[in-house]
Amino acid sequence: QVQLVESGGGSVQSGGSLGLSCAASRWTASSFCMGWVRQAPGKEREGVATIDSDANTVYAESVKGRFSISREKGKVTVYLQMNNLKPEDTAMYTCAALPFCSLGSTTSPLRSFTYWGLGTQVTVSS
């Protein structure tokens, strides 16, 4: 069974930076889409950023220019660098992955992910 292990997150003041990482274990598919989904209390789930195994990326409009997703070549590991954080970025961030996936021309980072991590809290204070 595939497992996604997240690290990073925490608390920061507005304008600060945080990084998240997610590593998949027992991954066997030759390609993937992997990304981050966040959900704040009382709000809908939102796809934040997704990358595929060819390093194509897609971002939510709300984080473009501030967040950057990358992957470690040869591994099923992705990183999310979050800069200029705002209080509205406060949420539970969960790593998610979909095997045999390519982003193509999609404009949405929210995919029909198969595997999910446990989530890590990001809190931004004003």
Side-chain angles (χ1 to χ4, degrees):
Q1 179 74 4
V2 170
Q3 286 188 322
L4 302 181
V5 179
E6 302 137 324
S7 61
S11 298
V12 68
Q13 289 193 324
S14 183
S17 299
L18 286 173
L20 305 178
S21 65
C22 178
S25 61
R26 307 188 188 96
W27 190 272
T28 59
S30 57
S31 62
F32 64 86
C33 290
M34 200 163 179
W36 296 89
V37 178
R38 69 185 180 185
Q39 189 164 22
K43 294 190 177 181
E44 290 191 359
R45 182 181 288 179
E46 177 186 26
V48 176
T50 297
I51 189 168
D52 67 16
S53 41
D54 291 326
N56 299 302
T57 59
V58 61
Y59 296 89
E61 286 295 325
S62 59
V63 306
K64 278 183 180 178
R66 301 187 297 121
F67 290 14
S68 177
I69 190 168
S70 60
R71 59 124 173 81
E72 189 166 345
K73 196 172 183 179
K75 295 185 178 181
V76 188
T77 300
V78 299
Y79 304 95
L80 184 68
Q81 178 63 36
M82 304 181 289
N83 297 325
N84 190 21
L85 282 159
K86 304 175 181 181
E88 51 263 42
D89 294 317
T90 296
M92 178 68 75
Y93 285 69
T94 305
C95 177
L98 177 64
F100 304 110
C101 170
S102 177
L103 287 178
S105 59
T106 183
T107 58
S108 171
L110 193 59
R111 317 304 298 164
S112 300
F113 295 114
T114 303
Y115 304 106
W116 295 81
L118 296 178
T120 185
Q121 179 67 33
V122 170
T123 302
V124 185
S125 58
S126 57

